[in-house]
Amino acid sequence: MSTDSPPGPPVAPSLRDSYVAFAKAIADPTRLDMLLLIGETGEYPCTALEQQLPISKSTISYHVKVLTQAGLVKVRRQGRFFHYELQRDVLDYFAPNLLTRLLAARRPPARSARPPD
């Protein structure tokens, strides 16, 4: 019998707390939009978030903090600039294929070659 625990995100003292942090992080529409933007490219600069989202820098910072505490986003500083990287393994641990499904839902449906009736 193996004593190895299954891989999981070390974001909270317990699995229950990890799920609570995850649920809190994705429950807010702005944070979900941020995850989608970051997830589309894998890494997203803070300056691009400022341009894409109609919220202040301090509000972006707060939302990034919540996403980071849930283990969903990793912050990398390069000079004066911050870059956010989606931790896809953590997201997929809690909600397999969630990003794929949400990104697909954002795309407009393929146009039919057949004209409407």
Side-chain angles (χ1 to χ4, degrees), residues 18-49:
S18 293
Y19 270 99
V20 169
F22 170 76
K24 177 183 176 183
I26 67 164
D28 184 276
T30 299
R31 287 193 288 271
L32 201 54
D33 287 343
M34 291 171 77
L35 278 178
L36 292 173
L37 289 169
I38 297 166
E40 282 181 312
T41 59
E43 185 175 89
Y44 211 77
C46 181
T47 53
L49 280 179

Side-chain angles (χ1 to χ4, degrees), residues 71-98:
L72 294 169
V73 170
K74 181 178 173 185
V75 180
R76 179 177 64 84
R77 185 176 184 158
Q78 185 175 8
R80 325 177 321 175
F81 302 101
F82 292 93
H83 299 266
Y84 306 125
E85 180 184 352
L86 176 67
Q87 299 301 293
R88 182 74 183 253
D89 58 331
V90 175
L91 180 61
D92 285 341
Y93 176 86
F94 289 113
N97 299 315
L98 177 65

Side-chain angles (χ1 to χ4, degrees), residues 4-15:
D4 294 338
S5 59
V11 297
S14 71
L15 184 59

Side-chain angles (χ1 to χ4, degrees), residues 2 7 11 17 32 35 38 53 59 63 70 75 78-79 112 114 116:
S2 173
V11 297
D17 291 342
L32 201 54
L35 278 178
I38 297 166
L53 300 172
T59 303
H63 287 302
V75 180
Q78 185 175 8
S112 172
R114 190 176 134 208

Side-chain angles (χ1 to χ4, degrees), residues 97-112:
N97 299 315
L98 177 65
L99 181 66
T100 303
R101 292 190 308 262
L102 290 173
L103 288 173
R106 281 181 53 188
R107 294 188 182 95
R111 300 187 97 179
S112 172

